[in-house]
Amino acid sequence: GAVVSQHPSRVICKSGTSVKIECRSLDFQATTMFWYRQFPKQSLMLMATSNEGSKATYEQGVEKDKFLINHASLTLSTLTVTSAHPEDSSFYICSARDRPRGVIYGYTFGSGTRLTVV
Amino acid sequence: AQKITQTQPGMFVQEKEAVTLDCTYDTSDQSYGLFWYKQPSSGEMIFLIYQGSYDEQNATEGRYSLNFQKARKSANLVISASQLGDSAMYFCAMRDNFNKFYFGSGTKLNVKP
């Protein structure tokens, strides 16, 4: 089945630095990538949707300049948390939509990245 | 606006028994998809089962079945013969016409030996 590889799985960074999270589709072409954020004991909240080769669409309340999304190829999307602060500490997870081939397997999640900003 | 509601923050079930996790949704879309995901402590989201809004039969995947009641807008997950490895968070989600996913708040399932 479709696999999305997400790295790093855990990262600790200092306040003020930037962190890049990568999601790579291994055996399919991800035309659309979704980025979610999950606070402890809460649900996943959609942050942004990116389509290959175009600008990401951000959900209301999500700062575009803080959470930079790049989807430069059909197999790679990145989320960069710029000038990270402790309140950005969270679990970030991506989900890729492959080319239409069946609705059930059209959405594959990465394994998530736990970001801790100290 | 789309909304997914899971009213059970936590559930306990005895090993080998069946358990039902509740999910209701609110949408004005005619076409939508309903999903259940399992999230163990490691954080990954594991797809369990899918039900399309036009599917007339309830979806089943092994020990998982989805009790779809369209008029009530409910999509409850039934896990039969619970196993210790089923202990995890379970999220109900809906995909709308724009392929956006909306997740419920989750239910933490604990399977007792």
Side-chain angles (χ1 to χ4, degrees):
Chain A
V3 175
V4 173
S5 176
Q6 183 171 347
H7 293 282
S9 57
R10 290 178 179 272
V11 58
I12 300 173
C13 70
K14 289 185 178 181
S15 188
T17 61
S18 295
V19 174
K20 181 184 281 189
I21 301 169
E22 286 190 354
C23 273
R24 197 177 294 272
S25 57
L26 297 186
D27 53 0
F28 67 100
Q29 294 180 319
T31 56
T32 304
M33 192 77 78
F34 303 92
W35 286 93
Y36 296 86
R37 181 174 184 175
Q38 185 181 28
F39 289 108
K41 298 184 180 180
Q42 292 190 27
S43 188
L44 279 70
M45 298 298 294
L46 181 64
M47 298 174 65
T49 304
S50 71
N51 292 296
E52 183 264 338
S54 62
K55 288 186 179 180
T57 303
Y58 290 81
E59 295 299 301
Q60 193 173 8
V62 178
E63 298 176 59
K64 300 178 185 181
D65 295 332
K66 181 161 199 58
F67 299 101
L68 300 179
I69 291 172
N70 185 288
H71 194 163
S73 77
L74 283 170
T75 58
L76 177 64
S77 178
T78 60
L79 167 67
T80 301
V81 183
T82 62
S83 187
H85 288 98
E87 57 266 29
D88 298 324
S89 298
S90 187
F91 187 71
Y92 295 87
I93 192 165
C94 63
S95 172
R97 180 169 185 249
D98 62 7
R99 293 190 181 276
R101 60 171 181 165
V103 61
I104 296 178
Y105 296 102
Y107 301 88
T108 304
F109 282 85
S111 52
T113 297
R114 195 165 302 281
L115 170 64
T116 304
V117 185
V118 297
Chain B
Q2 326 289 11
K3 188 177 180 182
I4 306 293
T5 303
Q6 293 180 254
T7 57
Q8 306 154 314
M11 289 280 286
F12 284 91
V13 64
Q14 202 68 39
E15 193 179 7
K16 298 180 185 177
E17 291 186 350
V19 63
T20 298
L21 306 184
D22 295 340
C23 173
T24 58
Y25 59 94
D26 190 13
T27 181
S28 56
D29 291 353
Q30 295 301 309
S31 176
Y32 50 88
L34 297 161
F35 296 74
W36 277 92
Y37 287 90
K38 173 184 178 181
Q39 187 180 45
S41 56
S42 56
E44 65 205 275
M45 295 290 282
I46 302 169
F47 165 78
L48 296 178
I49 197 166
Y50 165 83
Q51 179 88 39
S53 59
Y54 292 116
D55 294 341
E56 294 186 351
Q57 290 200 335
N58 287 342
T60 59
E61 290 282 349
R63 294 187 298 114
Y64 305 108
S65 60
L66 198 151
N67 185 357
F68 181 45
Q69 297 190 38
K70 194 170 182 177
R72 292 186 176 183
K73 292 188 176 177
S74 75
N76 298 341
L77 175 70
V78 180
I79 305 175
S80 62
S82 297
Q83 301 172 355
L84 295 178
D86 293 336
S87 293
M89 281 291 288
Y90 288 80
F91 289 98
C92 178
M94 186 187 75
R95 186 201 70 232
D96 70 4
N97 270 335
F98 298 97
N99 292 315
K100 285 188 178 181
F101 271 72
Y102 299 85
F103 287 83
S105 53
T107 296
K108 186 170 175 60
L109 177 66
N110 282 295
V111 180
K112 292 191 209 177

